[in-house]
Amino acid sequence: MPLASLVARFRSHPIATTLELGSVVVCLALFVTTFALLLSGAPATGAAGARTGTAETAWLAVVGVGAVFVLFWTALVPLYERLVY
């Protein structure tokens, strides 16, 4: 998509374009973060329970951001469209 087309789309629909571009950025960030965390090792699952540490916190953040992202697009956006339109 050329930059001029993107600017024109932003001018005609600024909120929708911002949400869509933000979604692309979130998806890319989740992908890169997940890949980087997989390189450092999968989260520990042992009989002793969950450990606390930087890697476990990062995995929890990835899952949390992903869950909020899915909730936003599958529940809140359709609800907003139903109420507004």
Side-chain angles (χ1 to χ4, degrees):
M1 175 180 283
L3 186 59
S5 166
L6 189 60
V7 171
R9 187 171 176 191
F10 182 76
R11 286 185 181 153
S12 63
H13 304 289
I15 294 173
T17 305
T18 302
L19 285 175
E20 290 173 3
L21 288 176
S23 295
V24 170
V25 169
V26 168
C27 286
L28 289 173
L30 283 172
F31 176 76
V32 169
T33 306
T34 302
F35 189 72
L37 285 172
L38 282 173
L39 289 176
S40 69
T45 57
R51 297 181 320 203
T52 57
T54 306
E56 287 79 14
T57 305
W59 277 110
L60 192 60
V62 167
V63 171
V65 169
V68 168
F69 181 76
V70 168
L71 177 69
F72 177 75
W73 280 109
T74 58
L76 298 179
V77 169
L79 181 64
Y80 172 77
E81 289 176 349
R82 181 173 288 231
L83 293 174
V84 172
Y85 301 111

